[in-house]
Amino acid sequence: GDSVTQMEGPVTLSEEAFLTINCTYTATGYPSLFWYVQYPGEGLQLLLKATKADDKGSNKGFEATYRKETTSFHLEKGSVQVSDSAVYFCALKVSGNTPLVFGKGTRLSVIA
Amino acid sequence: EPEVTQTPSHQVTQMGQEVILRCVPISNHLYFYWYRQILGQKVEFLVSFYNNEISEKSEIFDDQFSVERPDGSNFTLKIRSTKLEDSAMYFCASRGQGPSTDTQYFGPGTRLTVL
């Protein structure tokens, strides 16, 4: 079945460090890919998305590129801030009305 | 900015009791979802709801679970007789209609603890 695998956390970085959170997927067809973020005490918020191969999603300095050849959608940010501390979830959706399939989530802690 | 809200934020119940988790989706949204996350595990789909009926459900969503949209604004998840393994964070989500509105918007979750 469809699945998403994320790197295990927690990830602890110093402020201004480079961030990569790996995400790979298995899916039938051509899924849309998403990164959601959950800040402490809040719900899941869409961070960015990409709907077809080679698309790059970006938001708030975060980027991820849909790589069909490696079935990956790695999340990157060039310089993290303390306010980026949160849990990050990679997810896919195979078609419009189908539910999201999530990875386990990766907790990021950024220290000053 | 409109948001999905959920109540309560934390529910503690005894095994075998019924619980109702409440959600208020974004007002013009038409698709509604429940997901759950057992501590340390993946966020899992439970059920989707459209046009006043279930459109899809997972194998987790057995006869102990039901959903309802009783009054046009609330969207509820009922667990009839809770088990210890129902302890989890339950997320509600909603989505608008059309190809440009494929994003699901999530609430903050209800943490259910079954003792």
Side-chain angles (χ1 to χ4, degrees):
Chain A
D2 303 331
S3 66
V4 174
T5 303
Q6 284 180 242
M7 63 186 287
E8 294 285 326
V11 173
T12 302
L13 295 173
S14 297
E15 211 166 19
E16 299 183 5
F18 184 86
L19 168 72
T20 300
I21 301 177
N22 290 338
C23 170
T24 57
Y25 67 90
T26 303
T28 52
Y30 302 99
S32 295
L33 302 173
F34 304 81
W35 277 100
Y36 278 82
V37 58
Q38 185 178 30
Y39 298 103
E42 297 184 19
L44 296 166
Q45 301 174 23
L46 179 68
L47 181 59
L48 52 84
K49 67 180 183 182
T51 56
K52 60 184 189 296
D54 299 325
D55 268 3
K56 179 188 281 189
S58 61
N59 185 25
K60 300 182 182 179
F62 291 88
E63 292 182 342
T65 301
Y66 189 143
R67 300 281 187 209
K68 185 164 168 279
E69 63 276 12
T70 54
T71 61
S72 64
F73 193 55
H74 304 321
L75 183 68
E76 296 182 336
K77 186 174 186 183
S79 176
V80 293
Q81 305 301 312
V82 172
S83 56
D84 294 326
S85 298
V87 181
Y88 292 82
F89 294 90
C90 186
L92 68 82
K93 185 160 66 90
V94 174
S95 65
N97 293 339
T98 58
L100 290 163
V101 175
F102 284 90
K104 265 192 170 185
T106 303
R107 182 175 298 279
L108 170 67
S109 295
V110 180
I111 52 177
Chain B
E1 187 177 327
E3 59 182 18
V4 177
T5 59
Q6 290 185 243
T7 54
S9 57
H10 191 189
Q11 173 95 46
V12 181
T13 190
Q14 296 291 324
M15 192 169 55
Q17 294 297 303
E18 175 183 287
V19 295
I20 298 176
L21 309 183
R22 290 184 167 78
C23 168
V24 179
I26 294 172
S27 64
N28 60 347
H29 283 187
L30 299 176
Y31 296 87
F32 313 112
Y33 306 83
W34 283 101
Y35 294 82
R36 78 173 185 190
Q37 184 182 29
I38 295 171
L39 189 64
Q41 298 187 24
K42 295 185 179 188
V43 177
E44 303 169 293
F45 166 73
L46 293 178
V47 65
S48 59
F49 192 86
Y50 171 71
N51 201 25
N52 284 319
E53 60 183 29
I54 291 173
S55 48
E56 189 172 346
K57 59 183 181 179
S58 70
E59 63 272 13
I60 302 168
F61 194 88
D62 62 21
D63 291 345
Q64 293 298 315
F65 292 89
S66 62
V67 289
E68 197 176 37
R69 188 157 161 79
D71 56 14
S73 61
N74 289 283
F75 179 51
T76 61
L77 174 70
K78 182 193 290 186
I79 309 175
R80 261 181 273 282
S81 177
T82 50
K83 308 185 195 67
L84 295 176
E85 54 266 36
D86 294 328
S87 295
M89 181 73 90
Y90 287 81
F91 293 105
C92 172
S94 70
R95 176 173 82 81
Q97 190 170 27
S100 63
T101 56
D102 65 346
T103 298
Q104 293 181 24
Y105 293 86
F106 284 78
T110 293
R111 181 170 297 285
L112 176 65
T113 302
V114 182
L115 302 176

